[in-house]
Amino acid sequence: MRFVALVGIWVFCAGLAGCSAVPIGMGEPEEASSKDQGAELGEPESPLPQSRQRQSSPAVDALLGQARALRAEGQHELAAVKLERALRIEPRGAELWLELARVRYDMGDFAAAAQFADRARRLAGNDDDLARVAEQLALAARTQGL
Amino acid sequence: MAKKPRRGPAKRRRKVSQSVSIKASKSKKTKQKSGKRKASSRTRPGARRRLRQLAAGFLLGIVMAAGLGVWHLDRTITRAFEGRRWDVPAHVFAQPLEIYEGRALSAPDLERALVQLGYRKRSRATEPGTYARSRNAIELTTRPFRFWDGEAGAQGAFVRFSNGYVSRLTDGAQRQPLAILRLDPLLVGSLFPGVVEDRLVTPPEAVPPLLVTALLAIEDRRFEEHHGLDFKVIARAAWVNLKSGELRQGGSTLTQQLVKSYFLSNERTIRRKLTEAVMALLLERRYDKASLLNAYINEIFLGQDGPRAIHGFAMGSRYHFGRPLGELEAHQLALLVAMVKGPSYYDPRRHPQRARQRRDQVIDAMQASGALSAHQAQQQKRQDFGLAEKPVRGASYYPAFMTLVRQQLVRDFARADLAGEGLQIFTTLDPEIQRRAESALAGRIASLEQGVGEGLQGAMIVTSTDGAEVLAAVGGRDPAFDGFNRVLDAQRPIGSLIKPFVYLAALESGRYHLASPVEDASVTVALPDAQQWSPKNYDDQFLGTMPLVRALAESRNLPAVRVGMATGVERVTDVLQKFGLARELTPYPSVLLGAVAMSPFEVAQVYNSFATSGAFTPLKAVRFITDARGEPVSRYPLELKQVADAAQVTQVNAGLLMAMRRGTGRSVRQRLTSGMEVAGKTGTTDELRDSWFAGFSAEHLAVVWIGRDDNQPAGLSGAAGALAAWGDLFAQLPSRSLTLDLDGGLRATWINYQSGLESEPGCGDTVPVPLPLDAELAPEPGCEPGNERGLGERALDWFRNKIG
C-alpha cells in the first residue's frame, strides 16, 4: 500500500513538475507571477548547493610540486605561473592560494599576499592548520605593508 | 628570416668590367707613353692625355653614379622588406588546451581542437602534430612549443574519455600516467601595432606544400634557380608581345612580383620595370628563397574588400572561402593561385568562367608537376569553387576579442614597445567557447526574428569567474564582421540588472538581510527639480510584503526603489564602482531601476565580483607576452581585491540562484544539465528596447545583450531574448555547478517564500536562504520549525522529500 502511495505521489509530483515548464515566448512579463507558483508546488525546493571539499588531482599536485620547488630556488615568477595554472584547474584549492600568497610575499608584494592568504583561509574548510597558517601570513603581510 | 650575404652577379659584373676598362686604359696609356718617348712630344700628347683622363673620369663617374643608384635601390628595397618585418605583426595566440584526468572534455571536442590546430589524422600518431582516433580514446603527439613557464618538447600521449570527462591520461610510449598535457596554442590573429588592419601571417610551416607547388608551377617555374630574374621567361614574353604588338605576357618572377607589391605603383613604364628588376636582383642577393617565398605568400594582393585590401594567402583563404588556409582543397588552392595574376579580373564571383578556366590551368600545372595524379586532377576540376556564402568580412577571425586584446595592451604598453619584431601575445581566448558563443547568439537572434521582425543585433561575452579571464567575445550576430563591436561599444541602459547592486548596498547598510520584509507597494519619489516619480511594476500589481529574496528573484521594481531610496542611491553607485565600473555616476533615483548605460563588457566586469563572492579582479584578455624566440617580455599576473563582505555577497547570490530556480530566469533551468545550479539576473528596459541577461555558474560568467542598433524597441524581455541565448550556450557548455559558501557567518534557513517567516522545510511554499547567524525570524504560523504536526502530514512530507 505504501508502495502504491509512493508511486502515486511520484506521478503526481512529476506531473506538476511538467506543468512548471514555461515556454519561452515573446513579450513575456518580466516577473514571475506568484500566483502561478502556488499551482506548481508539490515539489519542495532543493537545499542550497553547498561547496564540498574537492579531491586532489594529479595535475594540480604536479603543478603545486613544481611551484614549491621553484619557490625554493627563488624563481618566484615561474612559481607563480605554475600556481596560476593550477588555480585554473582547481580554483577552490586552499593550498594553492596559500602557496601563491607565500610566493607574492617573497616577492615583496604584500598587498597581494594578504588578499591571497585571506582567500586561502576562507577556503580552508575543515583544515584548521591551513586556516591558521593563512591567517598568520595575512597578518604578517599586512604588517609588512604598513 | 635569414639573410644571406652573397655577392650578386650584377655588381660583380660591373666591377669586372670596371677593372677591365681600367686595365685597358692603363695599358693604352703605357703604350702611348712608350710610344711618345720615341717621338718628340711637347704639344700633342698633353691634349690626348687630358682627353683620356676626361674619358676615364667620365666613365668612372658613370660607374659611380650607377653604383650609387644601385646602392640606393638596395637600401630602398631592403628597407621595404625589413620595414615589413619591422612592422612584423605580433602573433596572437588563444589559450592552450590543457588536458588532465577529470577534465570535462569529450573526444569529439578534443578532435575538433586538434583539427583546428592543423593536426593531421593518421592511423598511428607518432609524429608531432598527428593524432589517431578510436571511439573513446585519442592518441596524439603534441608539437614542441616554448611556453612562458618552460619549453615543452613533442609529447606522445594517450587520452581516454568517459561520460564527457578525461578518464585516463598516459604517455604514448610507456603508458605511464601523465599529470597534465598542454597543446600548442592556436594562432588566432596578428596585430600590427601601428596599423588598424590585422593580418593573418602564415609562418612557413603552415603553408600547404600544394600551394607552393601550384604557385611555382604557374607563376615562376624556375624560382629556385634564378637570381631574381628569369631571362628565359622575359625573352619569351618579349617575343610574344613583339609578335602580337601588345603587352600580352608578363615575365615576372615571384621576386619581381614581391617587389611590385611593396610599391603601389600602377605605372608600367620601362623605367619602372627596370627599377623593379634591379631591386629583385638585390633582394635575392640578401635573402634566401625561403624568406622571399614566405614574404610573397603573406604579401600578395588577393582581393579588395571595400576599403580594405586582402593581402596574403591566409587572408585570401578566409575572405573567399571562410576557412583557414590549411583546410582548403586542391582546387581551392588552385583558385587562389589563379587569382594572383589579377584578383579582380579573375574574381570568381564576378567572372566565374574566366576564373574557372584559369583555376583549371593551375590544376593542370599541379598535375604536370606530379603533385596530383591525372585522376585527382580530373576530380578537382569537376568541383565547384566552394566559396563562402558571402565574402567573409574583416581580416581577423575574432575581431571583437582582438579589440579587447589591443585595449589591454595599449593601456599598458607604449606603442614603441609593441613594435618589436614578432612578439608573441598569449591571450585568454578559448576557441571552443568562442565557437559555441557565436553559434548560440547568431542562432537565437535568427530564431527570435521570426517573432519580432528583422533587424535584431546582440553581443555576448564569456569570462571565467575566478581569474576574470575573457574566454569569448562576440560583437554581433555576424561575428567575423569587423565593424561595430557591441561587446565594448554598445552602451545600453541596464534596467533590472542593477537590482543585485541595490540589494547588496542594502545589506551593507546593516539594516537588511536576505529574508528581510520589503514592500511591493506604490512609492513616490520627490526629484530634485520638484518633479515626482512614481514607478510601477511590469505587471502593474502590488503584491505587498515579501522577503527580500523574492523581490530580487522576481525582479519587482517597487521594493527595489523603496529599499534603494532608504539605503541611499550613492551607496548603490558606490557598489558599482568598487565592483569595477570605471565611470562616474550621478546618483539619480532612476539609477535604482537601471537608468545607467553600460556595455556588455562593463556588465561582465561588475557581475564578476558577485561570482567571486565579492572580490574585484580586472577582466583580462592577455596573459603573457614573449618575444619571437619565446623570451618573456611581460605578463599579467592574477590579482584580486576583496571589496565586499563575502557573506553579504553570498546572500545576494542566493537571490540570483532563486531567480534561476523559480524567478524570472527559471525558463532556462530545465535546459541545463540535470542538477546544475546557476545564478543570474534578467534585465529589460523601457518599452522592451533592451534585452539583457547576466548569469554564472561556479566556473563561467556570461553576459548577453539583444536589441536593435537604432534603439527601437526590440519587443523582447530579458527572459525572452538574452536569457534564451545564454541558455543556448550553457545548455551545452561543460561548466561546474554553482555552490554557495556558507562558512563565515551564514546559516542555511528555510523560510516561507511569500511571508519570509521561518518555516519547516516542505511545509507550504518554503525556500532555503543563507542568513547571518544573528538573524532572528518569526516563525511561519502552522509551519513552525520543529513543530509537532499530524502523522499523516509528516509522512507526506517525508515522501515528498525523498522524491524531491
Side-chain angles (χ1 to χ4, degrees), chain A residues 6 25 30-32 34 37 42 45-47 49-51 77 82 84-85 91-92 104 115 119 122, chain B residues 98 149 466 538 550 554 612 635 638 642 661 664 666 682 684 720 736 739-741 750 768 799-800:
Chain A
L6 194 75
E30 173 70 26
E31 307 91 354
S34 59
Q37 293 300 327
E45 194 61 64
S46 344
Q50 289 196 42
S51 321
E77 195 77 56
K82 298 286 185 190
E84 288 180 25
R85 266 177 81 192
R92 303 186 57 83
R104 296 297 277 265
Q115 292 290 335
R119 179 156 282 204
R122 253 207 309 281
Chain B
E98 305 228 44
D149 61 333
D466 295 290
Y538 286 101
R550 186 169 154 215
E554 294 181 9
T612 57
R635 90 173 184 107
L638 179 60
Q642 193 70 26
R661 280 188 178 184
T664 58
R666 70 186 187 280
T682 49
T684 313
R736 271 195 295 260
T739 56
L740 298 176
D741 266 327
W750 290 82
F799 283 130
R800 282 208 206 108

CSV table of all heavy atoms in Angstrom, one decimal, chain A residues 6 25 30-32 34 37 42 45-47 49-51 77 82 84-85 91-92 104 115 119 122, chain B residues 98 149 466 538 550 554 612 635 638 642 661 664 666 682 684 720 736 739-741 750 768 799-800:
chain,number,residue,atom,x,y,z
A,6,LEU,N,3.6,5.7,-2.7
A,6,LEU,CA,4.8,6.3,-3.1
A,6,LEU,C,4.8,6.6,-4.6
A,6,LEU,O,5.1,7.7,-5.1
A,6,LEU,CB,6.0,5.3,-2.8
A,6,LEU,CG,7.4,5.9,-2.9
A,6,LEU,CD1,7.6,6.8,-1.7
A,6,LEU,CD2,8.4,4.8,-2.9
A,25,GLY,N,8.5,32.7,-24.6
A,25,GLY,CA,7.6,33.4,-25.5
A,25,GLY,C,8.1,34.8,-25.7
A,25,GLY,O,9.2,35.2,-25.3
A,30,GLU,N,8.1,40.6,-17.2
A,30,GLU,CA,9.4,40.5,-16.6
A,30,GLU,C,9.4,39.5,-15.4
A,30,GLU,O,10.2,38.7,-15.2
A,30,GLU,CB,9.8,41.9,-16.2
A,30,GLU,CG,11.1,41.9,-15.4
A,30,GLU,CD,12.3,41.6,-16.2
A,30,GLU,OE1,12.3,41.8,-17.4
A,30,GLU,OE2,13.3,41.1,-15.7
A,31,GLU,N,8.4,39.7,-14.5
A,31,GLU,CA,8.5,39.0,-13.3
A,31,GLU,C,7.6,37.7,-13.4
A,31,GLU,O,6.8,37.6,-14.3
A,31,GLU,CB,7.9,39.8,-12.1
A,31,GLU,CG,8.6,41.1,-12.0
A,31,GLU,CD,7.8,42.2,-12.7
A,31,GLU,OE1,6.9,41.9,-13.5
A,31,GLU,OE2,8.2,43.4,-12.6
A,32,ALA,N,7.9,36.8,-12.5
A,32,ALA,CA,7.0,35.6,-12.4
A,32,ALA,C,5.8,36.0,-11.6
A,32,ALA,O,6.0,36.6,-10.5
A,32,ALA,CB,7.8,34.5,-11.8
A,34,SER,N,3.4,35.4,-8.8
A,34,SER,CA,3.5,34.4,-7.7
A,34,SER,C,2.3,33.5,-7.6
A,34,SER,O,2.4,32.5,-7.0
A,34,SER,CB,3.6,35.3,-6.4
A,34,SER,OG,2.4,36.1,-6.3
A,37,GLN,N,3.1,30.3,-9.0
A,37,GLN,CA,4.0,29.5,-8.2
A,37,GLN,C,3.2,28.5,-7.3
A,37,GLN,O,3.5,27.4,-7.1
A,37,GLN,CB,4.9,30.4,-7.3
A,37,GLN,CG,5.9,31.1,-8.1
A,37,GLN,CD,6.8,30.2,-8.9
A,37,GLN,OE1,7.2,29.2,-8.4
A,37,GLN,NE2,7.2,30.7,-10.1
A,42,GLY,N,4.4,21.2,-4.8
A,42,GLY,CA,4.3,19.7,-4.7
A,42,GLY,C,5.7,19.2,-4.6
A,42,GLY,O,6.0,18.3,-3.8
A,45,GLU,N,11.4,22.8,-2.5
A,45,GLU,CA,12.6,23.4,-3.0
A,45,GLU,C,13.8,22.6,-2.6
A,45,GLU,O,13.9,22.2,-1.4
A,45,GLU,CB,12.7,24.9,-2.5
A,45,GLU,CG,13.7,25.7,-3.2
A,45,GLU,CD,13.4,25.9,-4.6
A,45,GLU,OE1,12.4,26.5,-5.0
A,45,GLU,OE2,14.2,25.5,-5.5
A,46,SER,N,14.8,22.5,-3.4
A,46,SER,CA,16.0,21.8,-3.0
A,46,SER,C,16.8,22.7,-2.1
A,46,SER,O,16.7,23.9,-2.1
A,46,SER,CB,16.9,21.4,-4.2
A,46,SER,OG,16.2,21.5,-5.4
A,47,PRO,N,17.7,22.0,-1.3
A,47,PRO,CA,18.5,22.8,-0.4
A,47,PRO,C,19.5,23.7,-1.2
A,47,PRO,O,19.6,23.5,-2.4
A,47,PRO,CB,19.3,21.8,0.4
A,47,PRO,CG,18.6,20.5,0.2
A,47,PRO,CD,17.9,20.6,-1.1
A,49,PRO,N,22.9,24.7,-2.7
A,49,PRO,CA,24.0,24.0,-3.2
A,49,PRO,C,25.2,24.4,-2.4
A,49,PRO,O,25.6,25.6,-2.5
A,49,PRO,CB,24.1,24.3,-4.7
A,49,PRO,CG,23.5,25.6,-4.8
A,49,PRO,CD,22.5,25.8,-3.7
A,50,GLN,N,25.8,23.6,-1.6
A,50,GLN,CA,27.0,24.0,-0.8
A,50,GLN,C,28.2,23.4,-1.4
A,50,GLN,O,28.3,22.3,-2.0
A,50,GLN,CB,26.8,23.6,0.6
A,50,GLN,CG,25.7,24.4,1.3
A,50,GLN,CD,25.7,24.3,2.8
A,50,GLN,OE1,26.8,24.3,3.4
A,50,GLN,NE2,24.6,24.1,3.4
A,51,SER,N,29.3,24.1,-1.1
A,51,SER,CA,30.6,23.7,-1.6
A,51,SER,C,31.1,22.4,-0.9
A,51,SER,O,31.0,22.4,0.3
A,51,SER,CB,31.6,24.8,-1.5
A,51,SER,OG,31.1,26.0,-1.7
A,77,GLU,N,58.7,34.2,-10.0
A,77,GLU,CA,57.7,34.5,-11.2
A,77,GLU,C,57.2,33.2,-11.7
A,77,GLU,O,56.1,32.9,-12.0
A,77,GLU,CB,58.5,35.3,-12.2
A,77,GLU,CG,57.6,35.9,-13.2
A,77,GLU,CD,56.9,37.2,-12.7
A,77,GLU,OE1,57.6,38.1,-12.3
A,77,GLU,OE2,55.6,37.2,-12.7
A,82,LYS,N,53.1,28.7,-12.4
A,82,LYS,CA,52.6,27.3,-12.2
A,82,LYS,C,51.4,27.3,-11.3
A,82,LYS,O,50.4,26.5,-11.5
A,82,LYS,CB,53.7,26.5,-11.5
A,82,LYS,CG,55.0,26.3,-12.3
A,82,LYS,CD,54.8,25.4,-13.4
A,82,LYS,CE,56.2,25.2,-14.2
A,82,LYS,NZ,56.0,24.4,-15.4
A,84,GLU,N,49.2,29.7,-10.8
A,84,GLU,CA,48.0,30.2,-11.5
A,84,GLU,C,47.4,29.2,-12.5
A,84,GLU,O,46.2,29.1,-12.7
A,84,GLU,CB,48.4,31.5,-12.3
A,84,GLU,CG,48.6,32.7,-11.3
A,84,GLU,CD,49.0,34.0,-12.0
A,84,GLU,OE1,48.6,34.1,-13.2
A,84,GLU,OE2,49.7,34.8,-11.4
A,85,ARG,N,48.3,28.4,-13.1
A,85,ARG,CA,47.8,27.3,-14.0
A,85,ARG,C,47.0,26.3,-13.1
A,85,ARG,O,45.9,25.9,-13.5
A,85,ARG,CB,49.0,26.6,-14.6
A,85,ARG,CG,49.3,27.0,-16.0
A,85,ARG,CD,50.5,26.3,-16.5
A,85,ARG,NE,50.2,25.0,-17.0
A,85,ARG,CZ,51.1,24.0,-17.3
A,85,ARG,NH1,52.4,24.3,-17.1
A,85,ARG,NH2,50.7,22.9,-17.9
A,91,PRO,N,40.1,26.1,-8.7
A,91,PRO,CA,40.0,27.5,-8.2
A,91,PRO,C,39.8,27.5,-6.7
A,91,PRO,O,40.0,28.5,-6.0
A,91,PRO,CB,38.8,28.1,-8.9
A,91,PRO,CG,38.5,27.2,-10.0
A,91,PRO,CD,39.0,25.9,-9.7
A,92,ARG,N,39.3,26.4,-6.1
A,92,ARG,CA,39.0,26.4,-4.7
A,92,ARG,C,40.1,25.7,-3.9
A,92,ARG,O,39.9,25.4,-2.7
A,92,ARG,CB,37.7,25.7,-4.4
A,92,ARG,CG,36.5,26.3,-5.2
A,92,ARG,CD,35.2,25.7,-4.8
A,92,ARG,NE,35.0,25.8,-3.4
A,92,ARG,CZ,34.5,26.9,-2.8
A,92,ARG,NH1,34.1,27.9,-3.5
A,92,ARG,NH2,34.3,26.9,-1.5
A,104,ARG,N,54.1,35.6,-3.4
A,104,ARG,CA,53.9,37.0,-3.6
A,104,ARG,C,54.6,37.7,-2.4
A,104,ARG,O,55.1,38.8,-2.5
A,104,ARG,CB,52.5,37.4,-3.7
A,104,ARG,CG,51.8,36.9,-5.0
A,104,ARG,CD,52.4,37.4,-6.2
A,104,ARG,NE,51.9,38.7,-6.6
A,104,ARG,CZ,50.9,38.9,-7.4
A,104,ARG,NH1,50.3,37.9,-8.0
A,104,ARG,NH2,50.4,40.1,-7.7
A,115,GLN,N,45.8,39.4,0.3
A,115,GLN,CA,44.5,39.0,-0.3
A,115,GLN,C,44.4,37.5,-0.6
A,115,GLN,O,43.4,36.9,-0.3
A,115,GLN,CB,44.4,39.8,-1.7
A,115,GLN,CG,44.2,41.3,-1.6
A,115,GLN,CD,42.8,41.6,-1.0
A,115,GLN,OE1,41.8,40.9,-1.1
A,115,GLN,NE2,42.7,42.8,-0.4
A,119,ARG,N,42.0,34.6,1.1
A,119,ARG,CA,41.2,33.6,0.3
A,119,ARG,C,41.5,32.2,0.7
A,119,ARG,O,40.6,31.4,0.9
A,119,ARG,CB,41.4,33.8,-1.2
A,119,ARG,CG,40.6,32.9,-2.0
A,119,ARG,CD,40.3,33.3,-3.3
A,119,ARG,NE,39.3,34.3,-3.4
A,119,ARG,CZ,38.5,34.6,-4.4
A,119,ARG,NH1,38.8,33.9,-5.5
A,119,ARG,NH2,37.6,35.5,-4.4
A,122,ARG,N,39.6,31.5,3.8
A,122,ARG,CA,38.2,31.3,3.6
A,122,ARG,C,37.9,29.9,3.0
A,122,ARG,O,36.8,29.4,3.2
A,122,ARG,CB,37.6,32.4,2.7
A,122,ARG,CG,36.8,33.4,3.4
A,122,ARG,CD,35.8,34.0,2.5
A,122,ARG,NE,36.4,34.5,1.3
A,122,ARG,CZ,37.0,35.7,1.2
A,122,ARG,NH1,37.2,36.4,2.3
A,122,ARG,NH2,37.6,36.1,0.1
B,98,GLU,N,44.6,22.5,-22.0
B,98,GLU,CA,45.3,21.7,-21.0
B,98,GLU,C,44.4,20.5,-20.7
B,98,GLU,O,43.2,20.6,-20.4
B,98,GLU,CB,45.5,22.5,-19.7
B,98,GLU,CG,46.3,23.8,-19.9
B,98,GLU,CD,47.4,24.0,-18.9
B,98,GLU,OE1,48.2,23.0,-18.8
B,98,GLU,OE2,47.6,25.1,-18.4
B,149,ASP,N,56.3,29.3,-19.1
B,149,ASP,CA,56.9,28.5,-18.0
B,149,ASP,C,57.7,27.3,-18.4
B,149,ASP,O,57.8,26.4,-17.7
B,149,ASP,CB,55.8,28.2,-17.0
B,149,ASP,CG,54.7,27.3,-17.6
B,149,ASP,OD1,54.6,27.3,-18.8
B,149,ASP,OD2,54.1,26.5,-16.8
B,466,ASP,N,36.6,32.9,-11.3
B,466,ASP,CA,37.9,33.2,-10.7
B,466,ASP,C,38.9,33.5,-11.8
B,466,ASP,O,39.0,32.8,-12.7
B,466,ASP,CB,38.4,32.0,-9.9
B,466,ASP,CG,37.5,31.7,-8.7
B,466,ASP,OD1,37.5,32.5,-7.8
B,466,ASP,OD2,36.8,30.7,-8.8
B,538,TYR,N,6.1,45.8,-13.7
B,538,TYR,CA,5.8,45.5,-15.1
B,538,TYR,C,4.3,45.0,-15.2
B,538,TYR,O,3.7,45.2,-16.2
B,538,TYR,CB,6.7,44.4,-15.6
B,538,TYR,CG,8.1,45.0,-15.9
B,538,TYR,CD1,9.1,44.8,-15.0
B,538,TYR,CD2,8.3,45.7,-17.0
B,538,TYR,CE1,10.4,45.4,-15.3
B,538,TYR,CE2,9.5,46.3,-17.3
B,538,TYR,CZ,10.6,46.1,-16.4
B,538,TYR,OH,11.8,46.6,-16.7
B,550,ARG,N,12.7,37.3,-2.5
B,550,ARG,CA,11.6,37.1,-3.5
B,550,ARG,C,11.6,38.4,-4.4
B,550,ARG,O,11.4,38.3,-5.6
B,550,ARG,CB,10.3,36.9,-2.9
B,550,ARG,CG,9.2,36.6,-3.9
B,550,ARG,CD,7.9,36.1,-3.2
B,550,ARG,NE,6.8,36.5,-4.1
B,550,ARG,CZ,5.6,36.8,-3.7
B,550,ARG,NH1,5.4,36.9,-2.4
B,550,ARG,NH2,4.7,37.1,-4.6
B,554,GLU,N,12.1,37.8,-8.3
B,554,GLU,CA,11.0,38.1,-9.2
B,554,GLU,C,11.2,39.5,-9.8
B,554,GLU,O,10.3,40.0,-10.5
B,554,GLU,CB,9.7,37.9,-8.5
B,554,GLU,CG,9.5,36.4,-8.2
B,554,GLU,CD,8.2,36.1,-7.5
B,554,GLU,OE1,7.3,37.0,-7.5
B,554,GLU,OE2,8.0,35.0,-7.0
B,612,THR,N,32.6,35.9,-7.7
B,612,THR,CA,33.8,35.6,-6.9
B,612,THR,C,33.6,35.9,-5.4
B,612,THR,O,34.5,36.1,-4.6
B,612,THR,CB,35.0,36.4,-7.3
B,612,THR,OG1,34.7,37.8,-7.3
B,612,THR,CG2,35.4,36.0,-8.7
B,635,ARG,N,54.0,39.9,-18.3
B,635,ARG,CA,52.9,39.1,-18.0
B,635,ARG,C,51.9,39.9,-17.1
B,635,ARG,O,52.2,40.8,-16.5
B,635,ARG,CB,53.3,37.8,-17.4
B,635,ARG,CG,53.4,37.8,-15.9
B,635,ARG,CD,53.7,36.3,-15.4
B,635,ARG,NE,53.7,36.3,-14.0
B,635,ARG,CZ,52.7,35.8,-13.2
B,635,ARG,NH1,51.7,35.2,-13.8
B,635,ARG,NH2,52.8,35.8,-11.9
B,638,LEU,N,47.8,37.2,-11.8
B,638,LEU,CA,46.5,37.1,-11.1
B,638,LEU,C,46.4,38.2,-10.0
B,638,LEU,O,47.4,38.3,-9.2
B,638,LEU,CB,46.3,35.7,-10.5
B,638,LEU,CG,45.0,35.4,-9.8
B,638,LEU,CD1,43.8,35.6,-10.7
B,638,LEU,CD2,45.1,34.0,-9.2
B,642,GLN,N,39.5,41.9,-2.3
B,642,GLN,CA,38.2,41.7,-1.7
B,642,GLN,C,37.6,43.0,-1.4
B,642,GLN,O,38.1,43.8,-0.6
B,642,GLN,CB,38.3,40.8,-0.4
B,642,GLN,CG,37.0,40.3,0.2
B,642,GLN,CD,36.4,39.2,-0.7
B,642,GLN,OE1,37.2,38.5,-1.4
B,642,GLN,NE2,35.1,39.0,-0.7
B,661,ARG,N,15.9,29.5,-10.2
B,661,ARG,CA,15.2,28.3,-9.8
B,661,ARG,C,13.7,28.6,-10.0
B,661,ARG,O,13.0,27.7,-10.5
B,661,ARG,CB,15.4,28.0,-8.3
B,661,ARG,CG,16.6,27.2,-8.1
B,661,ARG,CD,16.7,26.8,-6.6
B,661,ARG,NE,17.8,26.0,-6.3
B,661,ARG,CZ,18.0,25.4,-5.1
B,661,ARG,NH1,17.1,25.5,-4.2
B,661,ARG,NH2,19.1,24.7,-4.9
B,664,THR,N,12.6,35.0,-12.5
B,664,THR,CA,12.4,35.4,-13.9
B,664,THR,C,13.4,34.6,-14.8
B,664,THR,O,13.3,34.6,-16.0
B,664,THR,CB,12.8,36.9,-14.1
B,664,THR,OG1,14.1,37.2,-13.6
B,664,THR,CG2,11.8,37.8,-13.4
B,666,ARG,N,13.8,31.3,-14.6
B,666,ARG,CA,13.5,29.8,-14.5
B,666,ARG,C,13.3,29.1,-15.8
B,666,ARG,O,13.5,27.9,-15.9
B,666,ARG,CB,12.3,29.6,-13.6
B,666,ARG,CG,11.0,30.0,-14.2
B,666,ARG,CD,9.9,29.9,-13.1
B,666,ARG,NE,8.6,30.1,-13.7
B,666,ARG,CZ,8.1,31.3,-14.0
B,666,ARG,NH1,8.8,32.4,-13.7
B,666,ARG,NH2,6.9,31.4,-14.6
B,682,THR,N,17.9,38.7,-15.1
B,682,THR,CA,17.4,39.3,-16.3
B,682,THR,C,17.3,40.8,-16.3
B,682,THR,O,17.3,41.4,-15.2
B,682,THR,CB,15.9,38.8,-16.6
B,682,THR,OG1,15.2,39.0,-15.4
B,682,THR,CG2,15.9,37.3,-16.9
B,684,THR,N,15.4,44.0,-18.4
B,684,THR,CA,14.5,44.6,-19.5
B,684,THR,C,14.4,46.1,-19.3
B,684,THR,O,14.4,46.5,-18.2
B,684,THR,CB,13.1,43.9,-19.5
B,684,THR,OG1,13.2,42.5,-19.3
B,684,THR,CG2,12.4,44.2,-20.7
B,720,ALA,N,13.0,36.6,-22.5
B,720,ALA,CA,12.6,36.1,-23.8
B,720,ALA,C,13.8,36.1,-24.7
B,720,ALA,O,14.0,35.2,-25.6
B,720,ALA,CB,11.5,36.9,-24.4
B,736,ARG,N,31.2,23.9,-14.2
B,736,ARG,CA,30.9,23.4,-12.8
B,736,ARG,C,29.7,24.1,-12.2
B,736,ARG,O,29.6,25.3,-12.3
B,736,ARG,CB,32.1,23.7,-11.9
B,736,ARG,CG,33.1,22.5,-11.9
B,736,ARG,CD,34.1,22.7,-10.8
B,736,ARG,NE,34.9,23.9,-11.0
B,736,ARG,CZ,36.2,23.9,-11.5
B,736,ARG,NH1,36.7,22.7,-11.8
B,736,ARG,NH2,36.8,25.0,-11.6
B,739,THR,N,28.0,26.7,-6.4
B,739,THR,CA,27.9,26.4,-5.0
B,739,THR,C,28.0,27.7,-4.2
B,739,THR,O,28.6,28.7,-4.6
B,739,THR,CB,28.9,25.4,-4.5
B,739,THR,OG1,30.2,25.9,-4.7
B,739,THR,CG2,28.7,24.1,-5.1
B,740,LEU,N,27.4,27.7,-3.0
B,740,LEU,CA,27.5,28.8,-2.1
B,740,LEU,C,28.3,28.5,-0.9
B,740,LEU,O,28.2,27.4,-0.3
B,740,LEU,CB,26.1,29.3,-1.7
B,740,LEU,CG,25.1,29.7,-2.8
B,740,LEU,CD1,23.7,30.0,-2.3
B,740,LEU,CD2,25.7,30.9,-3.5
B,741,ASP,N,29.1,29.4,-0.5
B,741,ASP,CA,30.0,29.3,0.7
B,741,ASP,C,29.2,29.7,1.9
B,741,ASP,O,29.0,30.9,2.1
B,741,ASP,CB,31.2,30.1,0.6
B,741,ASP,CG,32.4,29.4,0.0
B,741,ASP,OD1,32.4,28.1,0.3
B,741,ASP,OD2,33.2,30.0,-0.7
B,750,TRP,N,15.3,27.8,6.3
B,750,TRP,CA,14.2,27.7,5.4
B,750,TRP,C,13.1,28.7,5.8
B,750,TRP,O,12.8,28.9,7.0
B,750,TRP,CB,13.6,26.3,5.6
B,750,TRP,CG,14.5,25.3,4.9
B,750,TRP,CD1,15.6,24.7,5.5
B,750,TRP,CD2,14.4,24.7,3.6
B,750,TRP,NE1,16.2,23.8,4.6
B,750,TRP,CE2,15.4,23.8,3.5
B,750,TRP,CE3,13.5,24.9,2.6
B,750,TRP,CZ2,15.6,23.1,2.3
B,750,TRP,CZ3,13.7,24.2,1.4
B,750,TRP,CH2,14.7,23.3,1.3
B,768,PRO,N,15.1,27.7,0.8
B,768,PRO,CA,16.3,27.8,1.7
B,768,PRO,C,17.0,29.1,1.4
B,768,PRO,O,17.2,29.5,0.2
B,768,PRO,CB,17.2,26.6,1.3
B,768,PRO,CG,16.8,26.4,-0.2
B,768,PRO,CD,15.5,26.9,-0.4
B,799,PHE,N,7.7,11.6,2.2
B,799,PHE,CA,7.6,11.0,0.8
B,799,PHE,C,8.1,12.1,-0.1
B,799,PHE,O,8.9,11.9,-1.0
B,799,PHE,CB,6.2,10.6,0.4
B,799,PHE,CG,5.8,9.3,1.0
B,799,PHE,CD1,4.6,9.1,1.7
B,799,PHE,CD2,6.7,8.2,0.9
B,799,PHE,CE1,4.3,7.9,2.2
B,799,PHE,CE2,6.3,7.0,1.5
B,799,PHE,CZ,5.1,6.8,2.1
B,800,ARG,N,7.6,13.3,0.0
B,800,ARG,CA,7.9,14.4,-0.9
B,800,ARG,C,9.4,14.7,-0.9
B,800,ARG,O,10.1,14.8,-1.9
B,800,ARG,CB,7.2,15.7,-0.5
B,800,ARG,CG,5.7,15.7,-0.9
B,800,ARG,CD,5.3,17.2,-1.1
B,800,ARG,NE,3.9,17.3,-0.8
B,800,ARG,CZ,3.4,17.9,0.2
B,800,ARG,NH1,4.1,18.4,1.2
B,800,ARG,NH2,2.1,18.0,0.3
